[in-house]
C-alpha cells in the first residue's frame, strides 16, 4: 500500500494553541496542518521553545487545541470529554517521555502493566503475558522484578518503551526519548524505535538531534510555532544564527 | 547569628506566612476547647474545695439507704446522739422547703431551709454581711442568699435589718450568705430551726453535721451506731436497720454519681487533644519538609546542639499559645452551653461554673506538651534528613498515614461511646412515659399553715380555685397534686400484706388531678368528688405497686405503717418515670386530699408544695397567667410560681441519658472533625507529592474518575484499619465505660452498624477535595515541567 493511501491516525487542520498567563496571551502554535498515517515514522524538529512538546501533547490528546480541527483515527476530538480522551489514550496511544517517568515504588513489570490496569477488558493472565511480551520486545524481560532505581538510564527508557507498547497502541509518541541518555544508550533506544517502525509501528518523535531525524520517514520542522519546509527552515535558522552573531559582534566592538 | 537571633527571625517571619501557623493553632484549639471544658467541669465538681471552711473535719451522721450515701437524721435521733466527747460542735438543717416571700414589690415562692444555731458555725460559714442566723434564740430572723441579695436588694449593704414577709410572718434579715454557699441545694433564705429536747419526732428529714476532732470519725460513727442500737425500739427501727446508721465524712458526699461521667469526659477531651496534636504534627512535618534544605545548610555550616531545631520549637510554642488564646474562650462557651445539663447535685459550690486559674495552668501545660510532642516528628525528620542517618525513603508519608490511622481509631472509639449513649437515649425515649404530657400546664402553689391551718382550709381553697380554673377558656380538667409524674416526691411507710414496712411514693391529690396529669388508667376508676372524708377511704395505686407490693389490685387494701386508716384500691394507673426513664419504676399511692388524716397532711404539706394541673386543648402560657391572677385575687399572700408545660416536666425524665448523649456526642464530633482534617491533610500532601504519578497515570489513560477513586481508595485503606482498631478498642473498653450507673451498650450491633458507615462517609467526604485535585492534574503540564 502506498504511504499516502494508508488510513490516517492523526489529522490536524489549522491547529493553533494559545496559553493564557494572567492577562497575557501566548500563541504557541499557529495554523498547523499535519497528517500522520499508519506505519509512518514522523520526527518533529525545531529549536527550544518552538512548540514541539505542545504539538506532541495535542497529538497525544493530553491537551486540546485552541483553534482548528484535530481528528484522531477519523474522529474529531473537540466534542470529547476528558474521560473519553483518556480512554482513547489508553487504547491507542503509547507515550515515551524524555524523563522515563517510571514510578519508583513499582517494579518493572508493574510499571509496564500500568496502562493495562486502567482497562477492564484485559484479564489478569492476559495482562501478565502481554507484559512479558512487551518487556521481551525491548530486551528487558529478565529485569521484570527489579525496581527503576536498580536500572541504568537506557534500561529505564527501554522499560518505558515497553510500557508504551504493552497496550498495542495505534501510535507511539516519543518526546525527546534520548534527551536524558548518553550517546550509547541513546543509539540503543533509537535502534529499538527503528526496529518497531520496521515492524509496522506508527511513531511520532520529537527530537532536536539531526542524526535521529534521519531515521524518520519525514521530518516536520517547527519554527516559532509554525510548520515550515526544509529550505525555509534552513534559511530562517541561518538568518537567526547570523543575526545572533551580528549582535554578538556589535556587542564586542561598539 | 545567635540563638536569640534565630528566635527573633522566626517571630518576624511568622506573620508573613500566617496560614500554616493559624491552621495548626486552630486545629490544636479544638483540643484546647474540649480540654478546657472537661477540666472546668472536673475542677468545679471534683477538685474545687467545698464552700464549707471546716469541711475536712465535718461528718454527716444519721441513717442512709443502700442506694444513697447521703445520711438523714430525725430530731429524735439528733437529740439522742447529743454531743459526744469527739464532737466540737454540731448542727442540723431541715430539708429545703418552698415559702411565699414578699418584700416590697417583690413576691415569690422561694426555696428556704431551716437550720439550728449550730449548723452554720459547724460548717465554718462566715456571713458575707451581717450575722449568722439565728443570731439570738427565738428571733424571727433570716439570712438571704447572695443571689437573692443581688436580685431583690441590688447588693445594698443596708439590706441587713430590713423585714421580709415569709409565709405571712415578718422576719428581719440578719445577714447575707457568702456568694459560693450552698449545701447540696440552692436556697434563697436560711431560717432558724428550734429543736425541742426529748422530742419523739422520728421523721428523718434533717441533715445532721458534726465538727469532729481530727481522726475521730470512726469512733464517732461507732458511737452513733451504738446510740441507734440502744434506742432502736424508741426509734421504731428493726435491729437489721441499725447497720445503715453511722457517720460519713462530708467531703465524700459531694458530687454523688458524677465521678464516672466526669472522668469519661476528661478522658474523651484528652483523646480529642491527642487527635488535634496528631494533626498539628502532620502540619509541622510539612513545614519541616520545607525547611530541610535550610536545616541541612545550617549543619553544613557547622551548627551544633539544638540550634537547628529552634524554628520548629519556636513554632510549637507559638502554636500552643495561639491555640490557648483561641481555645480557652471556646471552652468557656462550651461550659456555658452545657451548664443546663449538669445536675445541681454535682455542684458543691454556688460559685460560677467557669474556668479558673487552675484550669488555665493545666490547659496551658497540656497544650504546650501536646505541641512539643507534635513537633517531635518534624524534628525527627530533620534529624534523619540532615545527620546522614538512613531515614526510610517514604518515612514522612508513612508517619502521616499512621497518624491518620490512629486518629481514625480514636475518633471511632469516641464515636462508639457517643453512639451507644445516643442509642440508649433514643431507646429510653421510645419507652411509654405512662402519661399524656401534651396540652397541660402545671403551677406550684404553697398554702402555708399560718393561713390555711388545717386540711379543710386547704381543701376549701383548692376546691374554690379549681371551680374558677374550670371556667377559664380552653380548660377541660383541673386538679391539685403534691406529686408530678416526673421528679422527687414524698415517701411514706406502708405495710406489705405480710406486715413488712415498705416506703411508697405518696401523693395527695384532688378529684381531677390524675386525669389532668394525663395518667393512663389501666383498671378501676379515678378519684371523684364523692370520695369525701365521711365516705369509704380509697386510693389509686400505680402498676409498680401491684408488681412490687401487693398484686391484689382493685378492691385490695393499702395499709399505712402508722396503723392509721387503711384505704381500698379503686383504680390503677400506669407507672411514670418518677426518678427518670433509666430508673426502675417506684410504687406509688394517690390519696384524696379530702380523706387524708390531719397528721399525715401536716407532714406532707411541710415538705411539698401543691401543683395546680390544668388540661385542655388550648392551655398555654396565657392560661397560666390567668390562673395566677385568680390565685392572687383569692389569696393575695400566695405566690404561684414555676408555671410550665407538662411537656417540660416530661423532658426531665430524659435528663440523664440526654446529658450523657449530648456531652459524649460533642467530644465525638470534635474527634470526627479532627480525624477528617487529618485525612484531608494526609491526602492533600499525598496528592501534591505524587502529582507526577497522577499525571503519568492520566497520560497513560486513567480517567479522572479512576484517579479520584485511587485517592479515595488510598484514604479508605488507611481509614478502615483505624475504624477496625477503634471498634476493637470500644469492645475492649465497653466493660469499663459507665455513664452514671448504667453501662453503655458498646457491643450493640447498632453501634457498629452506625459507626462504620459514618466513618466511611466522613473519610470519603474529607478527601473529596484532594481526590478532585488529583483528577484535575493536567498530565502534559506536570510531565513537561518535570
Amino acid at each position: 500500500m502506498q504511504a499516502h493511501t494508508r488510513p490516517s491516525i492523526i489529522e490536524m487542520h489549522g491547529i493553533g494553541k494559545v496559553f493564557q498567563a494572567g492577562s497575557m496571551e501566548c500563541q504557541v502554535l499557529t495554523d498547523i496542518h499535519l497528517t500522520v498515517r499508519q506505519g509512518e515514522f514522523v520526527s518533529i524538529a525545531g529549536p527550544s521553545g518552538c512548540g514541539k512538546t505542545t504539538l506532541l501533547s495535542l497529538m497525544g490528546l493530553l491537551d486540546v487545541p485552541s483553534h482548528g480541527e484535530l481528528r484522531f483515527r477519523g474522529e474529531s476530538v473537540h466534542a470529547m470529554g476528558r474521560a473519553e480522551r483518556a480512554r482513547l489514550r489508553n487504547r491507542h496511544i503509547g507515550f515515551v517521555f524524555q524523563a522515563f517517568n517510571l514510578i519508583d515504588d513499582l517494579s518493572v513489570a508493574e510499571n509496564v502493566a500500568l496502562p493495562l490496569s486502567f482497562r477492564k477488558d484485559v484479564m489478569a493472565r492476559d495482562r501478565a503475558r502481554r507484559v512479558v511480551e512487551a518487556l521481551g520486545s525491548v530486551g528487558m524481560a529478565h529485569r521484570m522484578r527489579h525496581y527503576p532505581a536498580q536500572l541504568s538510564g537506557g534500561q529505564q527508557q527501554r522499560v518505558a518503551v515497553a510500557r508504551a507498547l504493552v497496550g498495542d497502541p495505534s501510535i507511539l509518541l516519543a518526546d525527546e526519548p534520548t534527551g536524558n541518555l548518553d550517546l550509547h544508550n541513546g543509539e540503543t533506544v533509537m535502534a529499538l524505535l527503528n526496529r518497531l517502525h520496521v515492524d509496522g509501528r506508527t511513531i511520532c518523535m520529537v527530537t532536536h538531534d539531526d542524526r535521529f531525524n534521519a531515521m524518520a520517514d519525514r521530518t516536520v520542522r517547527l519554527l516559532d510555532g509554525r510548520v515550515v519546509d526544509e529550505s525555509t527552515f534552513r534559511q530562517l535558522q541561518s538568518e537567526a544564527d547570523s543575526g545572533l552573531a551580528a549582535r554578538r559582534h556589535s556587542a564586542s566592538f561598539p | 547569628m545567635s540563638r536569640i537571633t534565630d528566635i527573633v527571625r522566626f517571630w518576624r517571619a511568622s506573620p508573613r506566612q500566617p496560614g500554616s501557623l493559624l491552621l495548626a493553632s486552630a486545629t490544636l484549639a479544638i483540643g484546647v476547647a474540649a480540654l478546657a471544658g472537661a477540666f472546668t467541669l472536673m475542677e468545679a465538681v471534683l477538685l474545687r474545695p467545698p464552700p464549707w471552711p471546716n469541711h475536712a473535719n465535718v461528718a454527716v451522721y444519721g441513717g442512709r439507704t443502700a442506694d444513697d450515701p447521703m445520711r438523714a437524721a430525725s430530731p429524735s435521733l439528733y437529740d439522742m446522739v447529743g454531743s459526744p466527747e469527739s464532737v466540737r460542735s454540731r448542727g442540723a438543717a431541715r430539708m429545703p422547703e418552698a415559702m411565699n416571700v414578699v418584700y416590697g414589690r417583690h413576691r415569690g415562692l422561694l426555696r428556704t431551709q431551716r437550720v439550728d444555731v449550730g449548723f452554720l458555725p459547724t460548717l465554718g460559714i462566715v456571713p458575707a454581711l451581717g450575722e449568722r442566723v439565728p443570731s439570738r434564740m427565738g428571733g424571727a430572723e433570716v439570712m438571704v442568699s447572695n443571689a437573692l441579695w443581688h436580685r431583690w436588694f441590688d447588693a445594698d449593704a443596708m439590706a441587713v435589718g430590713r423585714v421580709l414577709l415569709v409565709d405571712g410572718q415578718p422576719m428581719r434579715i440578719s445577714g447575707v450568705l457568702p456568694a459560693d454557699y450552698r449545701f447540696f441545694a440552692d436556697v434563697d433564705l436560711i431560717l432558724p430551726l428550734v429543736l425541742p429536747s426529748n422530742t419523739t419526732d422520728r421523721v428523718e428529714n434533717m441533715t445532721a453535721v458534726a465538727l469532729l476532732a481530727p481522726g475521730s470519725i470512726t469512733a464517732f460513727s461507732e458511737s452513733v451506731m451504738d446510740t441507734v442500737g440502744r434506742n432502736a425500739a424508741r426509734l421504731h427501727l428493726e435491729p437489721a436497720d441499725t447497720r445503715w446508721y453511722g457517720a460519713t465524712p462530708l467531703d465524700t458526699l459531694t458530687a454523688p454519681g458524677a465521678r464516672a461521667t466526669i472522668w469519661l469526659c476528661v478522658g474523651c477531651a484528652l483523646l480529642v487533644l491527642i487527635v488535634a496534636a496528631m494533626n498539628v504534627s502532620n502540619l509541622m512535618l510539612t513545614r519541616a519538609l520545607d525547611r530541610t534544605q535550610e536545616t541541612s545548610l545550617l549543619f553544613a555550616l557547622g551548627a551544633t546542639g539544638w540550634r537547628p531545631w529552634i524554628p520548629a520549637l519556636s513554632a510549637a510554642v507559638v502554636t500552643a499559645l495561639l491555640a490557648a488564646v483561641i481555645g480557652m474562650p471556646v471552652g468557656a462557651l462550651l461550659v456555658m452551653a452545657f451548664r443546663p445539663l449538669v445536675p445541681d447535685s454535682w455542684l458543691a459550690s454556688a460559685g460560677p461554673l467557669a474556668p479558673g486559674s487552675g484550669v488555665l495552668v493545666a490547659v496551658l501545660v497540656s497544650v504546650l506538651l501536646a505541641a512539643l510532642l507534635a513537633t517531635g516528628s518534624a524534628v525527627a525528620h530533620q534529624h534523619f534528613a540532615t545527620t546522614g542517618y538512613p531515614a526510610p525513603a517514604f518515612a514522612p508519608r508513612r508517619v502521616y498515614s499512621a497518624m491518620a490511622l490512629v486518629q481514625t481509631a480514636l475518633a471511632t472509639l469516641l464515636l462508639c461511646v457517643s453512639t451507644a449513649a445516643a442509642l440508649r437515649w433514643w431507646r429510653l425515649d421510645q419507652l411509654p412515659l405512662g402519661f399524656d404530657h401534651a396540652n397541660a400546664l402545671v403551677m406550684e402553689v404553697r398554702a402555708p399553715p399560718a393561713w390555711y391551718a388545717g386540711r379543710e382550709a386547704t381543701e376549701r381553697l383548692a376546691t374554690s380555685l379549681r371551680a374558677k380554673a374550670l371556667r377559664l377558656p380552653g380548660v377541660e380538667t383541673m386538679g391539685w397534686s403534691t406529686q408530678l409524674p416526673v421528679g422527687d416526691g414524698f415517701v411514706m411507710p406502708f405495710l406489705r400484706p405480710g406486715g413488712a414496712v415498705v416506703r411508697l411514693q405518696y401523693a395527695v391529690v384532688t378529684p381531677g388531678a390524675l386525669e389532668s396529669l394525663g395518667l393512663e388508667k389501666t383498671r378501676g376508676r379515678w378519684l371523684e368528688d364523692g370520695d369525701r372524708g365521711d365516705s369509704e377511704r380509697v386510693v389509686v395505686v400505680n402498676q409498680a405497686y401491684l408488681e412490687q407490693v401487693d398484686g391484689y389490685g382493685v378492691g385490695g387494701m393499702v395499709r399505712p405503717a402508722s396503723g392509721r386508716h387503711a384505704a381500698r384500691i379503686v383504680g390503677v394507673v400506669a407507672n411514670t418515670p418518677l426518678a427518670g426513664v433509666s430508673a426502675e419504676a417506684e410504687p406509688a399511692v394517690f390519696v384524696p386530699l379530702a380523706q387524708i388524716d390531719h397528721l399525715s397532711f401536716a407532714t406532707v404539706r411541710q415538705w411539698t408544695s401543691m401543683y395546680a394541673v390544668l388540661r385542655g386543648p388550648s392551655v398555654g402560657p396565657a392560661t397560666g397567667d390567668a390562673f395566677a391572677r385568680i390565685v392572687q385575687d383569692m389569696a393575695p399572700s400566695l405566690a404561684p410560681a414555676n408555671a410550665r408545660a407538662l411537656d417540660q416536666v416530661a423532658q426531665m425524665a430524659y435528663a440523664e441519658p440526654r446529658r450523657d448523649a449530648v456531652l459524649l456526642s460533642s467530644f465525638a464530633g470534635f474527634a470526627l472533625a479532627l480525624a477528617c482534617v487529618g485525612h484531608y491533610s494526609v491526602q492533600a500532601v499525598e496528592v501534591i507529592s505524587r502529582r507526577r504519578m497522577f499525571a503519568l497515570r492520566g497520560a497513560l489513560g486513567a480517567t479522572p474518575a479512576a484517579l479520584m477513586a485511587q485517592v479515595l481508595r488510598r484514604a479508605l485503606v488507611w481509614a478502615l484499619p483505624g475504624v477496625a482498631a477503634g471498634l476493637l478498642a470500644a469492645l475492649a473498653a465497653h466493660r469499663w465505660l459507665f455513664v452514671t450507673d448504667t453501662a453503655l451498650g458498646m457491643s450493640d450491633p447498632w453501634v457498629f452498624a452506625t459507626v462504620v458507615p459514618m466513618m466511611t462517609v466522613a473519610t470519603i467526604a474529607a478527601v473529596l477535595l484532594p481526590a478532585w485535585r488529583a483528577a484535575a492534574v493536567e498530565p502534559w503540564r506536570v510531565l513537561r515541567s518535570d
Side-chain angles (χ1 to χ4, degrees):
Chain A
M1 193 184 285
Q2 294 295 312
H4 65 276
T5 59
R6 290 178 195 154
S8 63
I9 307 284
I10 294 168
E11 290 173 66
M12 294 178 138
H13 302 289
I15 290 293
K17 182 67 186 175
V18 178
F19 290 119
Q20 199 79 34
S23 59
M24 300 282 287
E25 276 193 353
C26 179
Q27 180 89 30
V28 179
L29 294 175
T30 309
D31 198 27
I32 303 288
H33 296 265
L34 178 65
T35 300
V36 180
R37 293 184 184 279
Q38 194 177 344
E40 267 195 304
F41 188 163
V42 179
S43 76
I44 300 170
S48 291
C50 70
K52 300 188 295 293
T53 303
T54 304
L55 181 63
L56 202 70
S57 70
L58 293 177
M59 295 168 89
L61 310 187
L62 290 169
D63 198 5
V64 288
S66 308
H67 316 290
E69 189 183 11
L70 171 61
R71 301 177 79 82
F72 188 83
R73 288 166 56 91
E75 281 186 71
S76 172
V77 301
H78 289 273
M80 291 179 186
R82 285 187 66 192
E84 199 175 345
R85 281 191 280 126
R87 270 189 289 276
L88 270 183
R89 269 200 310 273
N90 182 252
R91 280 161 181 72
H92 298 291
I93 302 171
F95 282 100
V96 179
F97 302 98
Q98 177 179 349
F100 323 139
N101 282 330
L102 299 179
I103 296 175
D104 295 338
D105 46 348
L106 298 183
S107 69
V108 163
E110 287 166 338
N111 265 291
V112 173
L114 201 55
L116 299 180
S117 70
F118 306 130
R119 294 173 63 164
K120 290 181 181 141
D121 57 341
V122 182
M123 298 292 108
R125 187 182 296 174
D126 192 25
R127 188 183 302 175
R129 180 184 57 76
R130 288 168 75 161
V131 167
V132 172
E133 281 177 10
L135 282 169
S137 70
V138 297
M140 290 295 292
H142 63 293
R143 308 298 294 270
M144 61 190 296
R145 295 189 197 287
H146 287 70
Y147 283 84
Q150 297 168 315
L151 306 179
S152 70
Q155 287 173 322
Q156 286 192 43
Q157 193 60 303
R158 279 152 66 193
V159 172
V161 172
R163 183 179 62 192
L165 293 173
V166 75
D168 192 18
S170 307
I171 186 168
L172 208 61
L173 299 178
D175 187 2
E176 307 252 16
T178 60
N180 280 13
L181 300 176
D182 60 28
L183 186 64
H184 171 70
N185 278 315
E187 283 173 351
T188 308
V189 168
M190 282 311 301
L192 175 63
L193 291 178
N194 198 33
R195 182 165 57 78
L196 291 170
H197 168 54
V198 170
D199 291 346
R201 294 277 177 194
T202 311
I203 297 174
C204 195
M205 176 184 71
V206 165
T207 182
H208 50 233
D209 190 329
D210 275 342
R211 286 178 303 134
F212 301 140
N213 282 330
M215 291 183 181
D217 296 335
R218 61 192 169 100
T219 298
V220 175
R221 302 278 181 187
L222 273 183
L223 203 63
D224 289 340
R226 292 171 186 276
V227 176
V228 293
D229 59 36
E230 185 71 23
S231 58
T232 311
F233 179 81
R234 295 285 172 214
Q235 183 189 340
L236 290 172
Q237 189 78 351
S238 160
E239 282 174 14
D241 290 348
S242 60
L244 187 63
R247 279 200 297 280
R248 279 186 188 146
H249 190 261
S250 62
S252 305
F253 303 98
Chain B
M1 202 161 57
S2 68
R3 291 178 175 86
I4 302 293
T5 318
D6 281 344
I7 295 172
V8 169
R9 191 169 67 90
F10 168 79
W11 280 82
R12 283 170 55 192
S14 292
R16 286 201 294 273
Q17 291 178 311
S20 58
L21 196 64
L22 281 177
L23 185 61
S25 303
T27 305
L28 204 55
I30 295 176
V32 171
L35 202 63
F39 275 176
T40 301
L41 199 59
M42 186 167 79
E43 195 265 341
V45 177
L46 302 180
L47 303 178
R48 190 180 291 177
W52 318 302
N54 297 340
H55 63 92
N57 296 315
V58 171
V60 177
Y61 62 99
R64 52 161 292 192
T65 62
D67 305 329
D68 187 357
M70 191 66 186
R71 293 184 181 278
S74 64
S76 184
L77 173 69
Y78 185 66
D79 187 39
M80 287 172 192
V81 172
S83 289
E85 198 179 324
S86 58
V87 175
R88 291 175 175 172
S89 73
R90 66 173 191 147
R94 288 260 278 262
M95 282 163 53
E97 52 192 301
M99 289 186 171
N100 300 279
V101 182
V102 178
Y103 173 75
R105 62 186 169 82
H106 296 293
R107 172 188 302 270
L109 190 63
L110 304 185
R111 298 287 147 192
T112 67
Q113 188 167 35
R114 292 185 181 274
V115 303
D116 74 353
V117 69
F119 183 73
L120 294 177
T122 298
L123 294 177
I125 304 298
V126 178
L129 205 64
E131 297 175 338
R132 290 189 192 114
V133 66
S135 58
R136 56 183 183 278
M137 290 304 289
E141 294 179 323
V142 295
M143 284 182 85
V144 297
S145 71
N146 218 280
L148 187 71
W149 181 50
H150 279 85
R151 207 163 64 233
W152 279 19
F153 300 95
D154 295 327
D156 180 4
M158 302 303 286
V160 174
R162 290 184 187 165
V163 175
L164 302 173
L165 280 178
V166 181
D167 272 355
Q169 301 281 320
M171 301 195 89
R172 176 184 162 273
I173 298 173
S174 72
V176 177
L177 287 162
D180 59 352
Y181 174 80
R182 84 192 291 263
F183 190 72
F184 299 103
D186 288 318
V187 293
D188 298 304
L189 296 181
I190 295 281
L191 282 79
L193 169 67
V194 180
L195 292 168
S197 49
N198 296 322
T199 177
T200 56
D201 186 351
R202 298 182 307 271
V203 181
E204 292 183 341
N205 54 20
M206 298 199 314
T207 305
V209 292
L211 179 61
L212 304 170
S216 59
I217 175 76
T218 311
F220 178 64
S221 187
E222 284 167 359
S223 139
V224 172
M225 282 182 79
D226 236 28
T227 305
V228 172
R230 276 188 280 108
N231 297 283
R234 281 175 62 195
L235 292 166
H236 286 213
L237 292 172
E238 298 290 328
D241 293 338
T242 57
R243 69 194 163 103
W244 294 108
Y245 286 79
T248 307
L250 180 57
D251 281 348
T252 63
L253 294 171
T254 55
R259 283 173 200 281
T261 300
I262 287 177
W263 278 114
L264 193 57
C265 284
V266 170
C268 291
L270 281 171
L271 287 183
V272 170
L273 183 70
I274 291 169
V275 173
M278 286 177 170
N279 276 319
V280 172
S281 176
N282 273 357
L283 295 167
M284 297 275 191
L285 191 51
T286 308
R287 293 202 71 186
L289 290 172
D290 290 344
R291 277 199 299 266
T292 302
Q293 194 179 1
E294 177 189 325
T295 312
S296 304
L297 184 65
L298 287 176
F299 271 110
L301 295 176
T304 55
W306 54 275
R307 189 169 160 184
W309 319 130
I310 283 177
L313 296 173
S314 301
V317 172
V318 172
T319 303
L321 291 177
L322 261 177
V325 168
I326 300 167
M328 285 298 287
V330 177
L333 287 175
L334 277 179
V335 170
M336 279 172 64
F338 288 135
R339 175 64 184 89
L341 299 172
V342 179
D344 282 341
S345 61
W346 284 12
L347 300 170
S349 164
L353 189 58
S357 55
V359 172
L360 188 67
V361 171
V363 169
L364 267 179
V365 170
S366 305
V367 73
L368 201 58
L369 208 60
L372 287 172
L373 284 175
T375 312
S377 63
V379 170
H381 168 75
Q382 286 186 332
H383 182 73
F384 277 130
T386 53
T387 55
Y389 282 91
F394 299 102
R397 197 180 297 157
R398 282 185 185 158
V399 171
Y400 282 150
S401 305
M403 284 183 177
L405 187 146
V406 175
Q407 286 174 29
T408 308
L410 293 177
T412 305
L413 173 61
L414 284 175
L415 211 54
C416 283
V417 177
S418 69
T419 307
L423 278 174
R424 178 168 162 254
W425 178 20
W426 182 78
R427 284 192 179 125
L428 291 171
D429 191 43
Q430 303 305 304
L431 296 175
L433 285 180
F435 70 105
D436 172 14
H437 44 87
N439 302 320
L441 181 124
V442 296
M443 187 177 284
E444 188 178 356
V445 178
R446 179 182 163 84
W451 303 326
Y452 302 92
R455 189 203 70 203
E456 289 82 1
T458 307
E459 192 187 348
R460 275 196 299 278
L461 174 71
T463 307
S464 306
L465 287 171
R466 180 173 176 234
K468 293 206 171 195
L470 286 171
R471 288 200 285 273
L472 287 172
V475 176
E476 287 180 347
T477 61
M478 190 273 174
W480 295 84
S481 172
T482 55
Q483 170 75 66
L484 294 176
V486 180
D488 292 334
F490 191 80
V491 174
M492 286 275 265
F494 282 78
L495 294 176
R496 289 179 185 274
V501 174
V502 58
R503 291 176 189 277
L504 305 180
Q505 293 285 337
Y506 186 82
V508 180
V509 296
T510 68
L514 301 181
E515 300 94 309
S516 303
L517 286 170
L519 298 183
E520 184 190 329
K521 185 177 69 186
T522 56
R523 276 177 246 179
R525 65 169 175 86
W526 298 115
L527 297 174
E528 297 165 350
D529 287 327
D531 297 321
R532 308 292 314 158
D534 52 359
S535 59
E536 185 194 19
R537 290 179 187 268
V538 294
V539 292
V540 167
V541 297
N542 69 353
Q543 195 66 31
Y545 177 90
L546 302 187
E547 290 157 4
Q548 298 174 31
V549 182
D550 181 7
Y552 191 89
V554 173
M557 298 302 287
V558 171
R559 292 181 178 80
S562 63
R564 287 191 288 270
H565 316 285
R568 185 171 302 282
I569 298 171
V570 294
V572 179
V573 293
N575 297 329
T576 62
L578 293 168
V581 283
S582 51
E584 194 185 356
E586 295 177 63
V589 295
F590 301 89
V591 181
L593 174 61
Q595 295 186 345
I596 185 172
D597 65 83
H598 290 89
L599 193 58
S600 298
F601 179 69
T603 310
V604 172
R605 77 177 327 183
Q606 187 173 1
W607 307 116
T608 63
S609 299
M610 291 291 282
Y611 293 95
V613 191
L614 299 96
R615 175 174 289 273
S618 56
V619 163
T623 317
D625 293 342
F627 181 70
R629 279 194 297 276
I630 291 173
V631 174
Q632 298 268 292
D633 290 345
M634 286 189 64
S637 51
L638 297 188
N642 301 327
R644 60 203 153 135
L646 200 55
D647 278 326
Q648 285 174 266
V649 176
Q651 285 307 308
M652 287 160 46
Y654 305 109
E656 179 254 318
R658 183 173 57 234
R659 180 197 64 222
D660 292 345
V662 171
L663 277 176
L664 296 172
S665 298
S666 306
F667 288 119
F670 282 145
L672 186 62
L674 287 169
C676 286
V677 170
H679 281 300
Y680 165 79
S681 59
V682 166
Q683 292 308 322
V685 170
E686 187 80 359
V687 167
I688 290 170
S689 63
R690 295 166 75 98
R691 273 183 86 216
R692 189 176 71 91
M693 190 274 289
F694 285 110
L696 181 63
R697 284 173 181 266
L700 296 178
T703 60
L707 294 176
M708 277 188 89
Q710 192 189 352
V711 177
L712 296 177
R713 212 164 35 239
R714 202 174 177 86
L716 286 175
V717 160
W718 281 105
L720 291 180
V723 172
L727 292 177
L728 286 175
L731 268 178
H734 89 277
R735 287 173 190 281
W736 311 316
L737 289 172
F738 283 77
V739 173
T740 63
D741 57 351
T742 309
L744 290 172
M746 302 283 287
S747 53
D748 187 334
W750 280 104
V751 171
F752 298 93
T754 309
V755 170
V756 172
M758 206 184 280
M759 287 304 299
T760 307
V761 170
T763 306
I764 289 173
V767 299
L768 269 181
L769 187 59
W772 178 82
R773 284 183 185 145
V777 165
E778 294 187 44
W780 74 272
R781 281 183 198 271
V782 176
L783 296 175
R784 187 178 179 185
S785 65
D786 196 61

